[in-house]
Amino acid sequence: MQSPREILSDVWTSAGGDPAALGAVTLTGEEPQLPSSFRVAAAAQVSIAASGLAAAEIWKMRSGEAQNVAVDMRHAAVECRSERYLRVDNKPPPPAWDAIAGVYKTGDGRFVRLHTNFPHHRAAVRQVLNCKAEREDVQAALMKWEAGAFETAAYAAGGVVAMMRPYDEWQASPHAKALAQLPLIAIEKIGEAAPKPWPKGDRPLAGIRVLDLSRVIAGPVAGRTLAAHGADVMLISGPDLPAIPWLTIDNGRGKLSSFVELKSERGCTTMRELLAEADIFSQGYRPRALAALGFAPDDAAKLNPGIVYVTLSAYGHAGPWAERRGFDSLVQTATGFNHAEGVAAGIDGPKELPAQMLDHATGYFMAFGAMMAKARQAREGGSWHVRVSLAQTGRWLWNLGRIADGLKTPDFPGDAVQPFMEELPSGFGALHAVKPSALMSKTPAFWARPSMPLGSHPPRWPKKD
């Protein structure tokens, strides 16, 4: 089984990183850290270390100054559960899930997971099941369905659900076979452009403008990470788009937050103006949604030659599920994790990973890919497209191997987390939040802007120094 350093080396060099740079990284801590048969803490440490090392290399390009990056495994695992530990005015998080979200048995003896945190997803499930939004009613309705048929029908109606599959069943599917042909992080040149000079600044990403069109965890974590290294990150949302408030607070650190109504011509004009002056465009929409509005990767490269366009998807950009909606919990269910953890725990049914690890690791890989592509743009020019997915990160995590008796590991006691927390002001109240775990010796990661309610800022870039 590979060590975390060996795993990091593979990730770093596969994205074009110089192997010599790995000497600047120190990884501390040992597995296991959390109760899981999977190497979730190593995945946390490696994905965060990759993004920190990319920031260090950019700083070296900009300033000529090398620096060291240190990531402790326990701190990284805590950061990959940051939403659990956030406190606002000393108040803990509200319930994370909608009342009918979760796991149910179906008539054929299998299991399905429903994700109903957004109203339109809940409505789609109720439409298919024709029942009240009560757990008992949902369970009774699902006993009349086969799991696979329900999964197909719910997706067709606009819902987001997953049938629990053993890993072997997933691996035999056409989609898993398509994913096996893709890299963990795809970085492709999509247009010609002159190299853009680095702006002035005293942080790795100072003066770099990032448009963040994402919600929930993975995409927002990517934006939060880029902001921690000095980027001007503007979160774009809309007043009518559903959001999960606690995640908005946790992942809004360091960002400007603006409303742009993309369904209006005025909103699209505003977005084109923002995009024309951006360096990185990071988004988690399904491809057709933005393409229909004129914001596909090729459109962005024409509007702003030299752009780095980052695409997040649930199930990857190839294969029959490429257009399918999904969230971390559902990808865990569909691709074998929940079944494997359940078997390891000796229970009849799904068991979740002890963190939304596919989300968090993918978020750090998004930031890593964006920085690696931006560095290439500065060196050789071009417009670039970076693609990551929850399912591909899951495939990577699975292939790291398993930990025998890992589920016997106790979860973190409360006092174990406190050294990794800090106090921050915000537009929501005083925050007690997880600090960045990538410790940079010359350019410490921090958030220069407080987390603010959605739409707090006008959709205009701040002036560069």
Side-chain angles (χ1 to χ4, degrees):
M1 201 156 61
Q2 286 185 305
S3 68
R5 175 165 291 280
E6 290 169 332
I7 300 165
L8 174 62
S9 177
D10 285 349
V11 171
W12 176 252
T13 56
S14 70
D18 179 359
L22 291 160
V25 181
T26 300
L27 303 178
T28 56
E30 295 182 355
E31 298 175 279
Q33 291 284 337
L34 290 169
S36 177
S37 67
F38 290 93
R39 301 180 69 188
V40 290
Q45 183 180 44
V46 167
S47 57
I48 290 170
S51 64
L53 184 55
E57 284 295 281
I58 285 177
W59 180 245
K60 189 175 179 181
M61 287 179 69
R62 295 182 70 159
S63 70
E65 183 180 43
Q67 64 176 312
N68 298 320
V69 181
V71 182
D72 176 72
M73 187 179 286
R74 175 161 288 199
H75 191 170
V78 169
E79 188 175 352
C80 284
R81 305 205 298 182
S82 59
E83 64 278 359
R84 297 190 184 199
Y85 303 120
L86 178 69
R87 300 291 181 267
V88 180
D89 291 333
N90 294 319
K91 296 174 184 173
W97 296 99
D98 175 67
I100 65 167
V103 173
Y104 295 86
K105 211 158 192 175
T106 52
D108 56 350
R110 299 193 66 161
F111 293 90
V112 293
R113 185 181 296 278
L114 314 185
H115 196 294
T116 54
N117 281 5
F118 290 159
H120 60 298
H121 294 156
R122 185 190 313 119
V125 167
R126 288 188 60 201
Q127 173 191 329
V128 172
L129 295 179
N130 191 26
C131 70
K132 296 178 183 177
E134 302 288 344
R135 290 199 70 86
E136 296 79 3
D137 296 271
V138 171
Q139 180 59 81
L142 279 166
M143 292 308 292
K144 301 173 184 176
W145 283 83
E146 292 183 352
F150 171 70
E151 182 185 62
T152 299
Y155 268 107
V160 280
V161 307
M163 175 176 73
M164 186 176 80
R165 292 168 175 79
Y167 180 69
D168 289 347
E169 182 179 344
W170 169 251
Q171 281 295 92
S173 70
H175 194 76
K177 291 176 180 177
L179 284 182
Q181 306 305 311
L182 302 179
L184 172 62
I185 303 157
I187 303 177
E188 301 170 281
K189 189 175 181 181
I190 57 170
E192 298 298 330
K196 291 184 177 181
W198 294 104
K200 294 180 181 179
D202 58 0
R203 303 181 67 193
L205 299 181
I208 300 302
R209 293 169 167 173
V210 181
L211 281 170
D212 179 0
L213 279 73
S214 65
R215 290 180 288 168
V216 193
I217 296 179
V221 162
R224 185 180 80 182
T225 303
L226 296 172
H229 294 296
D232 289 314
V233 180
M234 185 183 296
L235 173 65
I236 299 295
S237 186
D240 299 324
L241 285 176
I244 300 174
W246 206 255
L247 297 180
T248 297
I249 299 169
D250 187 42
N251 294 324
R253 288 176 281 167
K255 301 179 187 179
L256 301 163
S257 181
S258 302
F259 283 149
V260 177
E261 180 47 75
L262 290 177
K263 292 182 180 178
S264 71
E265 182 52 42
R266 180 179 178 184
C268 284
T269 297
T270 299
M271 180 57 68
R272 283 191 289 270
E273 292 170 350
L274 291 169
L275 176 55
E277 297 183 14
D279 298 286
I280 297 170
F281 185 95
S282 179
Q283 61 87 20
Y285 285 76
R286 287 194 302 156
R288 292 182 190 176
L290 286 180
L293 298 171
F295 297 108
D298 289 347
D299 299 321
K302 290 172 185 173
L303 180 63
N304 182 353
I307 193 73
V308 171
Y309 191 108
V310 187
T311 296
L312 163 70
S313 63
Y315 289 102
H317 59 271
W321 281 23
E323 294 284 323
R324 186 164 283 211
R325 306 173 190 86
F327 296 97
D328 179 308
S329 57
L330 300 175
V331 177
Q332 285 189 39
T333 304
T335 63
F337 284 98
N338 285 179
H339 177 266
E341 286 281 66
V343 170
I347 62 174
D348 176 27
K351 181 173 177 55
E352 300 82 8
L353 297 176
Q356 301 276 67
M357 187 49 62
L358 307 187
D359 259 333
H360 280 273
T362 302
Y364 293 110
F365 285 146
M366 284 180 78
F368 167 63
M371 286 187 273
M372 296 300 278
K374 180 60 189 164
R376 288 186 71 173
Q377 205 291 325
R379 283 195 304 267
E380 59 192 81
S383 299
W384 297 85
H385 188 194
V386 178
R387 292 191 281 200
V388 299
S389 73
L390 302 181
Q392 198 67 333
T393 297
R395 183 171 173 270
W396 169 78
L397 173 59
W398 189 287
N399 289 335
L400 296 184
R402 306 285 292 279
I403 300 175
D405 296 327
L407 281 164
K408 295 180 180 178
T409 306
D411 209 326
F412 299 144
D415 57 357
V417 173
Q418 291 311 310
F420 310 129
M421 306 298 288
E422 64 181 351
E423 307 296 327
L424 296 170
S426 82
F428 303 91
L431 302 188
H432 188 63
V434 180
K435 296 184 288 191
S437 60
L439 305 183
M440 319 284 288
S441 63
K442 301 292 186 182
T443 61
F446 68 93
W447 293 287
R449 293 186 172 98
S451 183
M452 295 294 290
L454 295 175
S456 289
H457 305 99
R460 293 193 299 272
W461 291 114
K463 291 183 179 179
K464 294 187 178 182
D465 294 336

